[in-house]
Amino acid sequence: MKRLKVSIIGSGSWGCAISKIVGKNVLKRNTFDKRVSMWVYEEIIEGRNLSEIINSTHENVKYLKGHKLPETVVATPDLVEAITDVDILIFVLPHQFLKRCLDTLEGKIKSTAVAISLIKGFQTSVDGDIELISKYITSRLKIQCSVLMGANIANEVANEVFCEGTIGCATKEMKQTFKELFETNYFRVAVVDDTQTVEACGALKNIVACAAGFSDGLLYGNCTKTAIIRIGLMEIKMFINTFLSGSEISTFFESCGISDLFASCYGGRNRKCSALFVEKGKSIYDLEKEILNGQRLQGPSTAEAVNIMLMKKGLEKKFPLFTAVHRIFNFEISPRKLLDHI
Amino acid sequence: MKRLKVSIIGSGSWGCAISKIVGKNVLKRNTFDKRVSMWVYEEIIEGRNLSEIINSTHENVKYLKGHKLPETVVATPDLVEAITDVDILIFVLPHQFLKRCLDTLEGKIKSTAVAISLIKGFQTSVDGDIELISKYITSRLKIQCSVLMGANIANEVANEVFCEGTIGCATKEMKQTFKELFETNYFRVAVVDDTQTVEACGALKNIVACAAGFSDGLLYGNCTKTAIIRIGLMEIKMFINTFLSGSEISTFFESCGISDLFASCYGGRNRKCSALFVEKGKSIYDLEKEILNGQRLQGPSTAEAVNIMLMKKGLEKKFPLFTAVHRIFNFEISPRKLLDHI
């Protein structure tokens, strides 16, 4: 049997953290080719190309300093070279670069290849509707796309501390292969069929994390906060049942569900910035500039995109928490009124 | 129709907090008699009987200072007087006083009465097995017993901040009545049939809160911690399916499930003392003396009782987290080995 070639599209902190796992796992089984290509968006670091630094020092000095990547992982700035003859494409690049990346890849992918997306968030379609990133990849490349989500942060995974992930597997025959590719003793992976729920949870939880942040900013207690989070989870479930293909309730018990949700509601920057939004009374745009160096928070933009979909269908009242979060960021209602609205 | 007489058995902080709700709700509907008796374990406070203080000042100065109880709530130190001709008995006294209370009540309860227990924790039967408190009340008084659980702390409910509760209703015809008795605009109550799951979650979550406390004491990140909590939730579910009547998965999405679990794993004294257990290396018995003024923590004792049941059935390995928590408190394994065991 021909060994499966794997490529990692992206080399940020999460891409490099996952390359530590993938680069070692390909050596453990005969299933995989022992060379993993990694596409690097080329940057010049102290006069040298980042891809060359990675290939000589096996360290991404810019995005995951202090961690050795396995020597099986070979960086290249040439996207087409990275994916040539590849069987498994791991998409792990920032969401805003995806479209351009797919423009380049379209028509150049092996027809039997499969993809797996580690990108959290939604794509917005031309008519303003939310689209799952896995669907978008499938529509552009004409290959099936699974997802890997869960409560896992690049640094924790890179440090090899115990955590979990959930694969929503779109290709039945790949279940075992994906598990072999991503699981280690410190990163435990469950594989489920319910791909859309796995992926949607990873995006929608950010709205709930903002509500949890408001709760913290308002100094509400833990019982109020968990009530808000629970109501948020019910809206996540209802959203998936209304706008996507429906959900298996058991999927919410996986890492992609309650773990990722609560981790984001007790840690994470959506929570933090939303608490500051309440405390400081500044716009979220100003807070993004001040605290995140201009990087965008996912919660407010997801709440906005979701709100557009809810408005179109006249469903705002059925999703009071999602709606309130959006309206609070827009200064239409005061955070103090959050509880009146849910 | 005759109005239903309500009695609150217990007047600690949770009993008084709930009496604020119940005492007002009986005025809103013709369903209820407008006098609610509250049994008070008599104590002398600055030379006066606590029951007399409550009846004259409408404040429990010892257990819920600063909160006015409704005038409909009438305290009595006479347990039999408190329950005479009563239709709804609300049990909300410390777990260790229950047996003696039931000794007094046995044979004196109206045969058509129903009970609802707000007591969290398990009863241990003569042969060392865990028994649900609602079952124990039913077996002693020969009346049906529902439960009210959830992420709610006496002080938060007394302060009338928003939180939620879950009623596991053992008496079908009482669903609406219980909702009318306990729900307010700030305390939102869901009623489900799955009584045993509602009650068992309230006890078993304390074991998981200890594991979460170890995680905090060991300075693990949020992703590791939520993975531990998620694994704990799966053991709660498996325990209920193995030792009790089985569970509806939807019950775990109520306040009694994930909300109470995560609130206890991020706040609460089981978490706190377990973190200190790791940091200070002292026995949990010493920490209870130091921090809780000798009061017992529920987590370690529940873990012990559960362990006895698991050992009897040879199921310790199927419940690695529950087992590890018990063995860690017993100094049989180091907290640092927690992750190796789950």
Side-chain angles (χ1 to χ4, degrees):
Chain A
M1 206 181 88
K2 218 171 150 265
R3 290 167 177 241
L4 298 170
K5 275 195 174 185
V6 179
S7 178
I8 299 172
I9 319 283
S11 56
S13 53
W14 188 211
C16 289
I18 213 71
S19 83
K20 280 187 71 178
I21 293 178
V22 168
K24 284 177 197 160
N25 278 350
V26 294
L27 296 176
K28 289 186 199 153
R29 319 259 178 182
N30 290 328
T31 326
F32 305 106
D33 191 280
K34 294 192 190 322
R35 184 182 181 282
V36 175
S37 59
M38 180 164 77
W39 176 63
V40 174
Y41 177 81
E42 196 69 287
E43 297 179 56
I44 309 296
I45 313 285
E46 293 177 5
R48 291 178 69 194
N49 286 332
L50 179 57
S51 62
E52 286 164 26
I53 298 174
I54 294 174
N55 285 335
S56 58
T57 67
H58 304 288
E59 184 181 347
N60 185 332
V61 290
K62 179 151 185 197
Y63 295 106
L64 198 69
K65 215 172 159 53
H67 289 280
K68 283 277 164 207
L69 309 186
E71 300 194 3
T72 48
V73 176
V74 179
T76 168
D78 184 331
L79 184 53
V80 175
E81 184 190 309
I83 59 87
T84 298
D85 208 28
V86 159
D87 303 285
I88 300 174
L89 295 115
I90 302 170
F91 283 94
V92 56
L93 70 174
H95 170 255
Q96 63 269 29
F97 300 140
L98 181 63
K99 187 183 170 296
R100 210 166 35 162
C101 165
L102 295 177
D103 290 344
T104 305
L105 294 183
E106 217 170 18
K108 301 198 179 73
I109 301 292
K110 207 169 164 178
S111 66
T112 55
V114 294
I116 181 163
S117 165
L118 277 58
I119 306 168
K120 283 186 182 171
F122 287 129
Q123 182 76 8
T124 316
S125 74
V126 194
D127 53 350
D129 278 355
I130 277 169
E131 188 172 25
L132 293 173
I133 284 171
S134 63
K135 289 262 166 196
Y136 180 60
I137 292 174
T138 293
S139 74
R140 295 292 308 272
L141 301 184
K142 317 296 176 210
I143 58 175
Q144 288 189 307
C145 186
S146 299
V147 295
L148 168 61
M149 301 283 149
N152 32 66
I153 292 171
N155 279 320
E156 293 191 24
V157 173
N159 286 330
E160 307 192 358
V161 298
F162 174 71
C163 60
E164 298 184 314
T166 313
I167 289 175
C169 188
T171 316
K172 224 177 177 178
E173 315 78 61
M174 290 299 291
K175 277 188 175 181
Q176 189 54 31
T177 310
F178 280 143
K179 210 171 159 74
E180 288 171 4
L181 194 56
F182 290 105
E183 188 159 75
T184 70
N185 59 340
Y186 62 86
F187 186 51
R188 203 179 290 171
V189 173
V191 185
V192 302
D193 296 320
D194 192 7
T195 315
Q196 297 200 2
T197 303
V198 175
E199 187 172 1
C201 279
L204 295 168
K205 60 124 209 240
N206 289 320
I207 307 179
V208 186
C210 292
F214 297 150
S215 177
D216 287 349
L218 293 161
L219 304 176
Y220 291 156
N222 240 339
C223 293
T224 306
K225 181 172 169 177
T226 53
I228 292 170
I229 299 170
R230 196 195 73 78
I231 291 168
L233 179 58
M234 293 301 100
E235 292 193 16
I236 291 177
K237 182 163 160 277
M238 189 163 50
F239 186 90
I240 295 170
N241 291 343
T242 308
F243 292 98
L244 301 170
S245 61
S247 57
E248 292 289 332
I249 196 165
S250 58
T251 307
F252 296 101
F253 285 104
E254 297 296 344
S255 180
C256 65
I258 51 170
S259 302
D260 197 17
L261 174 65
F262 280 91
S264 307
C265 289
Y266 280 90
R269 55 196 212 172
N270 283 289
R271 186 208 66 83
K272 187 181 165 189
C273 289
S274 302
L276 288 170
F277 176 86
V278 173
E279 289 160 14
K280 303 204 165 180
K282 293 184 181 174
S283 76
I284 200 72
Y285 178 76
D286 286 340
L287 289 168
E288 285 168 346
K289 273 204 294 193
E290 267 178 43
I291 295 157
L292 303 176
N293 223 347
Q295 279 193 334
R296 300 300 308 274
L297 270 187
Q298 287 208 324
S301 56
T302 307
E304 185 177 10
V306 161
N307 192 252
I308 293 170
M309 289 181 78
L310 294 179
M311 282 215 299
K312 275 190 197 169
K313 290 211 174 192
L315 287 173
E316 280 179 294
K317 283 197 179 150
K318 287 217 156 189
F319 293 82
L321 185 134
F322 286 180
T323 303
V325 169
H326 171 66
R327 295 184 63 199
I328 287 170
F329 281 129
N330 265 5
F331 294 104
E332 289 170 40
I333 56 176
S334 155
R336 265 157 234 293
K337 295 281 172 196
L338 172 67
L339 295 175
D340 297 343
H341 284 81
I342 63 173
Chain B
M1 208 180 87
K2 218 171 150 262
R3 288 168 180 241
L4 299 169
K5 275 197 173 182
V6 179
S7 179
I8 299 172
I9 320 283
S11 56
S13 52
W14 189 212
C16 288
I18 214 72
S19 83
K20 281 187 69 175
I21 293 178
V22 168
K24 284 177 197 161
N25 278 350
V26 293
L27 295 175
K28 290 186 198 153
R29 319 256 177 185
N30 290 328
T31 326
F32 305 105
D33 191 279
K34 296 193 189 322
R35 184 184 181 280
V36 174
S37 59
M38 179 163 76
W39 176 63
V40 174
Y41 177 81
E42 195 69 289
E43 298 178 57
I44 309 296
I45 313 286
E46 294 177 5
R48 292 178 69 195
N49 286 331
L50 179 56
S51 63
E52 287 164 26
I53 298 174
I54 294 174
N55 285 335
S56 57
T57 67
H58 303 289
E59 182 181 346
N60 186 331
V61 290
K62 180 152 184 196
Y63 295 107
L64 198 69
K65 217 174 156 52
H67 289 279
K68 284 276 165 208
L69 309 185
E71 300 193 4
T72 48
V73 175
V74 179
T76 168
D78 183 331
L79 184 53
V80 175
E81 186 190 307
I83 59 87
T84 298
D85 209 28
V86 159
D87 303 285
I88 299 173
L89 295 115
I90 302 170
F91 284 94
V92 57
L93 68 174
H95 170 256
Q96 62 269 30
F97 300 141
L98 181 63
K99 187 183 170 297
R100 210 164 37 161
C101 165
L102 296 177
D103 290 344
T104 305
L105 295 182
E106 216 170 19
K108 302 198 180 73
I109 301 292
K110 206 170 166 175
S111 66
T112 54
V114 294
I116 182 163
S117 165
L118 277 57
I119 306 168
K120 283 186 183 174
F122 287 129
Q123 182 76 8
T124 316
S125 74
V126 195
D127 53 349
D129 278 356
I130 278 170
E131 189 173 24
L132 293 173
I133 284 170
S134 64
K135 288 261 165 198
Y136 181 59
I137 292 173
T138 293
S139 73
R140 296 291 308 270
L141 301 184
K142 317 296 177 210
I143 58 175
Q144 289 190 306
C145 186
S146 300
V147 295
L148 168 60
M149 301 282 148
N152 33 66
I153 292 171
N155 280 320
E156 294 191 22
V157 174
N159 285 329
E160 307 193 357
V161 298
F162 174 73
C163 59
E164 298 184 313
T166 314
I167 289 175
C169 188
T171 316
K172 222 176 177 178
E173 315 78 60
M174 291 299 290
K175 277 188 175 180
Q176 190 55 31
T177 310
F178 280 144
K179 210 172 158 75
E180 288 171 5
L181 193 57
F182 291 106
E183 188 159 75
T184 71
N185 59 340
Y186 63 87
F187 185 52
R188 202 179 292 172
V189 172
V191 186
V192 303
D193 297 319
D194 191 8
T195 315
Q196 297 201 0
T197 302
V198 175
E199 187 171 0
C201 280
L204 295 169
K205 60 124 208 243
N206 290 320
I207 308 179
V208 185
C210 293
F214 297 151
S215 177
D216 286 349
L218 293 161
L219 305 177
Y220 292 156
N222 241 339
C223 293
T224 306
K225 182 172 170 178
T226 53
I228 292 169
I229 299 169
R230 196 195 74 77
I231 291 168
L233 179 59
M234 294 301 100
E235 292 193 15
I236 291 177
K237 182 163 161 275
M238 190 162 49
F239 187 91
I240 295 169
N241 291 342
T242 307
F243 292 97
L244 301 170
S245 62
S247 57
E248 292 289 331
I249 198 165
S250 58
T251 308
F252 295 102
F253 286 102
E254 297 296 343
S255 180
C256 65
I258 51 169
S259 303
D260 197 16
L261 174 66
F262 280 91
S264 306
C265 288
Y266 281 89
R269 55 197 212 170
N270 283 288
R271 186 209 67 82
K272 187 182 165 190
C273 289
S274 302
L276 289 171
F277 176 88
V278 173
E279 290 159 13
K280 302 204 165 181
K282 292 184 182 175
S283 77
I284 201 71
Y285 179 75
D286 286 340
L287 289 168
E288 284 168 346
K289 273 205 294 193
E290 267 178 43
I291 296 158
L292 303 176
N293 225 346
Q295 279 193 334
R296 301 298 309 274
L297 270 187
Q298 288 208 323
S301 56
T302 306
E304 184 177 10
V306 161
N307 193 251
I308 293 170
M309 291 182 75
L310 295 178
M311 282 214 299
K312 275 190 197 168
K313 292 213 173 189
L315 286 173
E316 281 179 292
K317 284 197 179 151
K318 285 217 157 186
F319 293 82
L321 185 133
F322 286 180
T323 304
V325 169
H326 171 65
R327 295 183 63 198
I328 287 170
F329 281 129
N330 265 6
F331 294 104
E332 291 169 40
I333 55 176
S334 155
R336 263 156 237 292
K337 296 281 172 195
L338 172 67
L339 295 176
D340 297 341
H341 284 81
I342 62 173

